[in-house]
Amino acid sequence: QVQLVESGGGLVQAGDSLRLSCVISGRRFGSATTVGWFRQRPGKEREFVAGIHRNSGRPSVVDSVKGRFTIVRDNAKSTVFLQMDSLNTEDTAVYYCAIGDRIIASSLRLPAAYDYWGQGTQVTVSS
């Protein structure tokens, strides 16, 4: 069965960095799979943070984290990373990774387009 396991979350202070990891198992994982990181802040809906579409291979990030967050995939290790720098309190959320095989480019940022999800990892940023 397909499993996505996130790790790397924790409690940090504003300005600190964290690196989230997502290990995919139970299926083939390569450049033909679209990957995404999402987050859900308290009282808010799940939102797109960063992703790499299978066609372009280029990372895409939401404006609020541009210049601070970087998504990287390591196909050989079936792992996706989210490097988060200059964290602020607005980044406090549960972070999820997700993958999908038939996602069209225009749906990269839509949670409903993804097939498999991890259980999430909590990131808390204190001021």
Side-chain angles (χ1 to χ4, degrees):
Q1 102 218 30
V2 179
Q3 282 192 313
L4 283 68
V5 179
E6 302 100 334
S7 61
L11 172 63
V12 296
Q13 292 189 323
D16 286 350
S17 298
L18 279 175
R19 187 193 197 203
L20 305 184
S21 300
C22 173
V23 178
I24 297 97
S25 63
R27 54 162 282 158
R28 176 181 294 183
F29 178 75
S31 56
T33 301
T34 296
V35 299
W37 281 99
F38 293 78
R39 67 185 179 188
Q40 190 159 15
R41 293 183 277 188
K44 300 290 182 67
E45 293 185 351
R46 193 169 298 189
E47 62 178 355
F48 174 84
V49 176
I52 301 176
H53 191 265
R54 57 186 173 87
N55 286 348
S56 69
R58 292 192 300 271
S60 174
V61 299
V62 68
D63 285 347
S64 60
V65 307
K66 196 165 290 184
R68 301 189 298 121
F69 289 14
T70 304
I71 181 173
V72 175
R73 65 189 297 166
D74 185 337
N75 293 337
K77 295 183 178 179
S78 296
T79 303
V80 185
F81 302 98
L82 184 67
Q83 177 66 40
M84 306 188 295
D85 299 319
S86 302
L87 286 161
N88 59 57
T89 56
E90 291 294 306
D91 297 319
T92 294
V94 178
Y95 284 74
Y96 300 89
C97 68
I99 62 173
D101 294 317
R102 291 173 294 276
I103 300 174
I104 60 175
S106 59
S107 296
L108 178 67
R109 303 187 175 204
L110 299 179
Y114 289 76
D115 301 314
Y116 301 100
W117 291 81
Q119 81 290 347
T121 185
Q122 176 71 47
V123 172
T124 303
V125 184
S126 64
S127 58

